[in-house]
Amino acid sequence: MKKKKIYHINDRSMKYQSLILSRHQHQYLGLPGTFEARYPQEIVFPNMEAGRADEFYSTVEGLLIDLEEESGDITDKVLEKVGKYVIFGAFMYSKRPYAAIICHKDPKKEFEYFKLSPSLFLKVHYIYIPQDALWMKYENLIKKIEQKQQLTVEETLDIAFVAKFISKEYGQFITESLAKSFRYAKLNEEIPKRDIGVLLGAMILKHFDDNKKIDELMEVIDMKQINEEIRIITREEFADEFEKIEKEKREMKNENIEIKNENIKLKEGIKQVAEKKNLDPESKKILNSLIIP
């Protein structure tokens, strides 16, 4: 079996990719609150059993979102697993949990209450985007890009997320088409172009195995330039923190110089006292010991 090549994306791009995927997906799916920060996904239960949530992140409003993605049916076993993740997250991060599942099969409902125990129920938000709706979004994008029309915020995000949620059967076609249209799209200014580029890059890696094709499409979306922008962003993002550290170091250095000068003055004063003729030998001995370096 042919081994899939991992296209080289630097660490900054990988971290940025994970962050913006969480942030923009939260926005795209219409989940409650404003995205704040990602949390570790690893879970260890009291019996030392290990688990891993698909996504844990917080909102400004104090919610902890547990966002799972399921390709099959939503069974009791799946809901029990999500319930464990929610309980763990609420305890570990001291935030109000919100459980949501991206469903690849129609769950026929938007919300469900599942009984975890006699006194504990889990409310789950189901998210399902029909394939025909995704095709309509795709056709709308191609039409507006060809006509050089300005995209809305949702349409700008559609470029990345239609490629993410389309069925595997059409993943390559949709991703390649959107990648080649990307440079001509008039994106909404609220969404940085590099964000959509990075997300498209992730979809290229998801849907393609052929090394040559991956390189070709990464070049089409100008991934090299996107990586450079991320490098600059990262440097600028930590510039204030770096300056703070340097300032603290300068202040510490100045403080040490001041202490050293004070010590010199103190020793000089002790030396002057020790040189007085009327001072008894024992006192001179003690004072001299204080000025030895």
Side-chain angles (χ1 to χ4, degrees):
M1 185 175 70
K2 183 178 178 182
K3 187 175 181 181
K4 183 174 182 178
K5 171 187 173 184
I6 303 300
Y7 181 87
H8 176 69
I9 300 180
N10 61 41
D11 289 343
R12 290 188 181 96
S13 293
M14 291 295 291
K15 292 175 182 176
Y16 191 76
Q17 181 187 100
S18 297
L19 174 64
I20 64 169
L21 176 60
S22 299
R23 178 190 297 152
H24 290 317
Q25 184 168 256
H26 176 85
Q27 178 183 3
Y28 189 73
L29 298 178
L31 290 168
T34 302
F35 177 89
E36 182 182 46
R38 298 183 77 239
Y39 282 68
Q41 297 152 271
E42 291 72 19
I43 294 169
V44 179
F45 300 108
N47 63 358
M48 300 308 293
E49 178 186 348
R52 182 180 176 85
D54 287 343
E55 188 74 76
F56 264 152
Y57 61 87
S58 64
T59 69
V60 173
E61 296 77 12
L63 293 178
L64 178 72
I65 307 288
D66 174 22
L67 181 59
E68 301 295 325
E69 189 164 350
E70 293 292 333
S71 57
D73 295 323
I74 306 301
T75 63
D76 286 357
K77 186 176 181 179
V78 169
L79 293 173
E80 287 170 0
K81 175 192 70 174
V82 174
K84 288 181 180 180
Y85 291 173
V86 165
I87 292 171
F88 171 88
F91 170 77
M92 181 61 67
Y93 303 117
S94 300
K95 292 184 178 294
R96 295 174 291 126
Y98 188 98
I101 301 177
I102 299 171
C103 304
H104 289 254
K105 288 188 175 181
D106 190 354
K108 308 295 184 182
K109 63 188 80 172
E110 186 177 4
F111 293 96
E112 181 175 5
Y113 288 88
F114 179 73
K115 187 176 181 180
L116 289 172
S117 72
S119 60
L120 188 61
F121 283 79
L122 173 70
K123 181 183 179 181
V124 185
H125 179 184
Y126 293 134
I127 301 165
Y128 174 70
I129 307 176
Q131 289 293 305
D132 57 354
L134 291 170
W135 277 102
M136 288 178 63
K137 287 175 178 288
Y138 165 73
E139 290 167 2
N140 173 66
L141 279 173
I142 297 302
K143 180 180 178 181
K144 293 193 73 169
I145 292 171
E146 286 177 348
Q147 295 178 354
K148 303 186 186 322
Q149 295 181 22
Q150 181 75 50
L151 302 182
T152 65
V153 170
E154 183 178 354
E155 289 168 343
T156 298
L157 292 175
D158 278 340
I159 293 177
F161 289 106
V162 167
K164 182 178 189 299
F165 295 123
I166 199 70
S167 67
K168 186 176 180 180
E169 180 183 1
Y170 302 105
Q172 290 189 357
F173 169 78
I174 292 290
T175 302
E176 180 172 2
S177 174
L178 291 174
K180 290 180 176 179
S181 301
F182 174 59
R183 68 173 61 188
Y184 306 108
K186 297 180 68 174
L187 307 183
N188 190 282
E189 294 180 357
E190 289 185 30
I191 311 294
K193 187 172 184 177
R194 65 176 171 271
D195 286 11
I196 304 302
V198 169
L199 293 176
L200 265 179
M203 295 307 105
I204 290 169
L205 293 173
K206 174 183 177 182
H207 292 297
F208 288 90
D209 293 315
D210 182 78
N211 300 336
K212 185 177 179 181
K213 194 68 177 180
I214 289 173
D215 289 342
E216 174 194 325
L217 292 178
M218 287 295 190
E219 187 174 344
V220 164
I221 65 173
D222 201 3
M223 195 65 192
K224 183 178 180 181
Q225 176 61 33
I226 291 169
N227 277 337
E228 176 62 17
E229 289 184 14
I230 293 170
R231 186 187 67 79
I232 294 170
I233 289 168
T234 306
R235 185 180 63 196
E236 292 176 348
E237 179 182 350
F238 292 101
D240 291 342
E241 189 65 25
F242 179 76
E243 176 57 30
K244 180 181 176 183
I245 293 171
E246 289 299 306
K247 183 180 178 182
E248 290 175 352
K249 286 168 65 177
R250 289 194 298 270
E251 290 176 350
M252 186 177 294
K253 183 178 180 180
N254 292 335
E255 186 178 339
N256 288 338
I257 292 172
E258 290 177 6
I259 292 173
K260 185 177 181 179
N261 291 336
E262 288 296 324
N263 284 338
I264 292 172
K265 291 179 182 179
L266 180 60
K267 287 181 179 181
E268 186 62 33
I270 293 173
K271 184 178 180 181
Q272 291 175 7
V273 173
E275 289 174 349
K276 289 185 177 181
K277 294 181 180 180
N278 61 347
L279 201 64
D280 64 88
E282 187 61 30
S283 296
K284 281 189 177 184
K285 183 179 179 180
I286 294 172
L287 289 172
N288 284 330
S289 68
L290 295 175
I291 61 176
I292 297 174

